[in-house]
Amino acid sequence: MLLLPGAPDGQCTAVTRALSAASALCRVEPVGRWFEAFIKRRSRNVSASFQELEEKKELSEESEDEELQLEEFPMLKTLDPKDWKNQDHYAVLGLGHVRYRATQKQIKAAHKAMVLKHHPDKRKAAGEPIAEGENDYFTCITKAYEMLSDPVKRRAFNSIDPTFDNSVPSKSEAKDSFFEVFSPVFERNSRWSSKKNVPKLGDMHSSFEDVDAFYSFWYNFDSWREFSYLDEEEKEKAECRDERRWIEKQNRAARAQRKKEEMNRIRTLVDNAYSCDPRIKKFKEEEKAKKEAEKKAKMEAKRKEQEAKEKQRQAELEAARLAKEKEEEEVRQQALLAKKEKEIQKKAIKKERQKLRTSCKIEEVNEQIRKEKEEDEARMRQASKSTEKSTGGGGGGGKNWSEDDLQLLIKAVNLFPAGTNSRWEVIANYMNLHSTSGTKRTAKDVIGKAKSLQKLDPHQKDDINKKAFDKFKKEHGVVPQSDSAAPSERFEGPCTDSTPWTTEEQKLLEQALKTYPVNTPERWEKIAAAVPGRSKKDCMKRYKELVEMVKAKKAAQEQVMNAAKARK
């Protein structure tokens, strides 16, 4: 129960209304500077308020200021005020031992102390000679305070801190003491990081994740270091806008070059450390061992799988072998049954033959066979005589055909194959033109004789063709044979080559004749090379045949045209 305090002396207590029930307040979240204080308290496990933390910070800074001891710079009085840019501003103010860790209050206090000690009026009162104007070394103190009191200018000077060690250890230096050599170097260069909480190098017991995070951070290192303090020209001294732009351009190029060199230095540092880090070697060996183990396990699993497959295959082969043996056994049994049945049938046929031989007379059978042979021979002689009569008596028109005319007819049929326009008229005119007998043949005579030649006995046809070929070979040396004519129309005439020209070879020859004209050097060698399987002599003979065939066709067709015009 909630108890209220009692009334003071001389007063009374009165209740105006009943108290309401207690209610829970909603959760309040800190924001702004209170949120910052909350985070600091949580990280430090304290419950102090933001104001208390600020007060503690100020007290600590004041105590530091009180305890700060300035270091006297021995070369202060020898500094050239005109060369103030090359001086160490921290050393001038006596903060050489604190440097970039000095606070603004410390810088201010140091400057105040230096003014009280080195001001020209103080020294003049003490009887010390003073240089005129800005030639006194006190100007260096003023410039130092001007640079360090401005955060931008101080940052630029800190970037080129003359006391900073930019050296990078080589691989040979860290051969036996890697952590002792590289740990202070990374600690020293961490001051240039734009990101806070720079990871440490660690030790030999660091985990793979920590080492990987460390090298990932440094390989992607973001440096705030800039080199504007080293600008050779100051744009404020420019007389016009164009000159100022030119100075800015030159300064930007110089800064970019120095920035590039700085990043190369950091990259070299990280590369040297990574190549010498014994943990990397250990991790690689562990990874290699892990991969080897995985590979070995896979190979073992694969081997077991192959063994299982091989066993299954052997089982299948064994089952197939047994099935095949069973099938062969069944086939063998069926073959034995068939053989037995066949032997039974042979025995039955043998018995029947014996019965037939005893029942028939052998002499009568032989006589009958002899008579049949004589009749066949008589019929063959009669057919041979009729063929000789048809050959010698002429094919049509009652005109006799000599052996030369028959050979000339065979040649004309070969020269003008089926499909030639007015073929039989052309063949008749060709025979009339070349015949030595003086007998004029018509298309009807030629057709009739050609049909009678087709009915000849094959042996007689071969004799006629052979005689025609021998005569033509003596006169011309070549008898062309057209591929388009049927065998019955050519009377199977001989060809000069052992193998006839195919349609494809004919096309290749015609194309080669067009490709290599008459004035081409070594023309026939090139043409023979374009027609596979044919020599130079074959190509020349075929060309002569084609030329003779074309000439004969033209002459025969002209005679047909002239005869047609004469009839009109």
Side-chain angles (χ1 to χ4, degrees), residues 419-431:
T420 305
N421 189 21
S422 302
R423 181 190 182 199
W424 296 107
E425 288 79 0
V426 171
I427 292 173
N429 291 330
Y430 180 81
M431 290 190 64

Side-chain angles (χ1 to χ4, degrees), residues 39-285:
I39 294 298
K40 290 181 179 179
R41 289 197 304 274
R42 189 176 66 178
S43 62
R44 299 175 183 176
N45 293 323
V46 297
S47 59
S49 64
F50 177 77
Q51 185 64 29
E52 292 174 349
L53 293 174
E54 290 294 325
E55 290 175 358
K56 287 183 180 180
K57 183 177 180 182
E58 290 178 358
L59 290 175
S60 64
E61 289 179 355
E62 289 177 0
S63 62
E64 289 176 359
D65 293 342
E66 292 176 358
E67 296 175 357
L68 179 63
Q69 297 294 330
L70 301 180
E71 290 184 351
E72 187 68 24
F73 185 44
M75 305 297 294
L76 177 61
K77 295 182 180 181
T78 61
L79 295 176
D80 184 6
K82 296 180 180 179
D83 194 25
W84 62 269
K85 198 169 185 179
N86 294 324
Q87 71 183 15
D88 186 351
H89 300 304
Y90 288 110
V92 170
L93 293 180
L95 299 174
H97 61 294
V98 184
R99 305 200 68 79
Y100 69 93
R101 291 185 295 273
T103 63
Q104 286 297 325
K105 288 186 177 183
Q106 290 174 338
I107 294 173
K108 188 175 182 181
H111 177 255
K112 184 177 180 180
M114 296 299 290
V115 169
L116 292 175
K117 185 176 180 180
H118 297 282
H119 194 274
D121 293 341
K122 293 282 184 180
R123 291 186 287 120
K124 188 175 182 181
E128 183 180 342
I130 307 298
E132 297 180 0
E134 296 182 355
N135 294 326
D136 189 66
Y137 71 88
F138 185 76
T139 304
C140 296
I141 298 175
T142 305
K143 286 291 184 180
Y145 179 70
E146 179 184 347
M147 294 299 299
L148 299 181
S149 61
D150 187 346
V152 177
K153 294 181 179 179
R154 183 183 179 185
R155 186 184 181 92
F157 177 72
N158 287 338
S159 296
I160 55 96
D161 191 347
T163 62
F164 181 77
D165 185 7
N166 287 301
S167 62
V168 175
S170 63
K171 298 178 182 179
S172 59
E173 294 177 9
K175 187 174 182 180
D176 299 325
S177 55
F178 171 77
F179 296 100
E180 291 78 2
V181 173
F182 279 96
S183 183
V185 178
F186 280 105
E187 186 71 22
R188 184 169 66 242
N189 284 274
S190 63
R191 64 179 286 191
W192 309 124
S193 176
S194 300
K195 300 176 183 178
K196 302 302 179 184
N197 301 323
V198 180
K200 303 295 183 181
L201 180 61
D203 53 18
M204 197 63 191
H205 303 290
S206 300
S207 64
F208 174 80
E209 290 74 15
D210 294 339
V211 176
D212 184 65
F214 173 80
Y215 283 107
S216 297
F217 177 87
W218 281 97
Y219 271 118
N220 299 285
F221 187 74
D222 183 14
S223 175
W224 60 264
R225 197 175 189 185
E226 49 92 10
F227 302 91
S228 60
Y229 188 82
L230 299 177
D231 291 346
E232 296 182 0
E233 300 288 344
E234 297 182 6
K235 63 179 182 180
E236 290 78 8
K237 296 181 181 180
E239 296 180 357
C240 61
R241 183 175 61 182
D242 293 337
E243 185 179 357
R244 185 164 57 253
R245 288 180 177 176
W246 182 84
I247 293 173
E248 289 179 354
K249 183 178 179 181
Q250 296 297 321
N251 290 337
R252 282 197 301 270
R255 292 175 200 168
Q257 180 63 27
R258 293 189 181 98
K259 185 73 173 180
K260 184 178 180 181
E261 294 174 356
E262 171 67 8
M263 296 311 297
N264 289 337
R265 185 184 70 84
I266 296 293
R267 185 58 182 259
T268 303
L269 170 64
V270 182
D271 288 341
N272 291 349
Y274 187 85
S275 60
C276 298
D277 196 336
R279 299 170 299 178
I280 299 298
K281 297 179 181 178
K282 182 183 72 172
F283 293 148
K284 287 183 178 180
E285 291 175 357

Side-chain angles (χ1 to χ4, degrees), residues 387-426:
T387 303
E388 291 176 358
K389 290 180 180 180
S390 60
T391 303
K399 299 175 182 178
N400 295 328
W401 287 76
S402 63
E403 185 177 350
D404 293 339
D405 290 344
L406 289 176
Q407 293 174 1
L408 188 60
L409 174 61
I410 292 172
K411 179 181 177 181
V413 170
N414 288 330
L415 284 174
F416 307 105
T420 305
N421 189 21
S422 302
R423 181 190 182 199
W424 296 107
E425 288 79 0
V426 171

Side-chain angles (χ1 to χ4, degrees), residues 250-441:
Q250 296 297 321
N251 290 337
R252 282 197 301 270
R255 292 175 200 168
Q257 180 63 27
R258 293 189 181 98
K259 185 73 173 180
K260 184 178 180 181
E261 294 174 356
E262 171 67 8
M263 296 311 297
N264 289 337
R265 185 184 70 84
I266 296 293
R267 185 58 182 259
T268 303
L269 170 64
V270 182
D271 288 341
N272 291 349
Y274 187 85
S275 60
C276 298
D277 196 336
R279 299 170 299 178
I280 299 298
K281 297 179 181 178
K282 182 183 72 172
F283 293 148
K284 287 183 178 180
E285 291 175 357
E286 292 175 354
E287 183 68 19
K288 184 178 180 181
K290 183 180 178 181
K291 288 183 178 179
E292 288 292 336
E294 292 178 355
K295 184 178 180 181
K296 188 175 180 181
K298 288 181 180 179
M299 292 178 65
E300 184 66 20
K302 187 176 181 180
R303 184 184 64 79
K304 291 181 179 179
E305 183 181 357
Q306 288 179 351
E307 288 180 355
K309 289 182 178 179
E310 183 66 21
K311 289 181 180 179
Q312 183 179 0
R313 189 177 69 86
Q314 292 293 341
E316 292 176 354
L317 290 175
E318 184 65 19
R321 185 183 64 80
L322 294 175
K324 186 177 181 181
E325 288 180 356
K326 185 178 179 181
E327 184 179 357
E328 290 177 352
E329 182 64 22
E330 292 178 355
V331 172
R332 190 173 65 81
Q333 294 295 335
Q334 292 178 0
L336 289 174
L337 293 175
K339 186 177 180 180
K340 290 180 181 180
E341 293 179 358
K342 191 173 182 181
E343 289 177 354
I344 294 171
Q345 291 179 0
K346 283 183 177 180
K347 290 179 180 180
I349 293 172
K350 188 175 181 180
K351 290 179 180 180
E352 292 295 330
R353 285 180 178 176
Q354 290 177 356
K355 292 179 182 179
L356 181 62
R357 287 171 183 172
T358 55
S359 62
C360 295
K361 294 180 180 180
I362 296 175
E363 294 181 358
E364 294 179 358
V365 175
N366 292 335
E367 183 65 22
Q368 186 177 358
I369 292 172
R370 185 179 59 78
K371 289 181 179 180
E372 290 177 356
K373 286 184 178 181
E374 290 179 355
E375 292 176 359
D376 290 339
E377 291 176 358
R379 282 196 297 270
M380 289 178 66
R381 286 195 296 270
Q382 185 65 26
S384 177
K385 291 179 180 179
S386 60
T387 303
E388 291 176 358
K389 290 180 180 180
S390 60
T391 303
K399 299 175 182 178
N400 295 328
W401 287 76
S402 63
E403 185 177 350
D404 293 339
D405 290 344
L406 289 176
Q407 293 174 1
L408 188 60
L409 174 61
I410 292 172
K411 179 181 177 181
V413 170
N414 288 330
L415 284 174
F416 307 105
T420 305
N421 189 21
S422 302
R423 181 190 182 199
W424 296 107
E425 288 79 0
V426 171
I427 292 173
N429 291 330
Y430 180 81
M431 290 190 64
N432 295 334
L433 183 64
H434 294 85
S435 178
T436 57
S437 62
T439 306
K440 298 298 182 181
R441 309 289 182 181

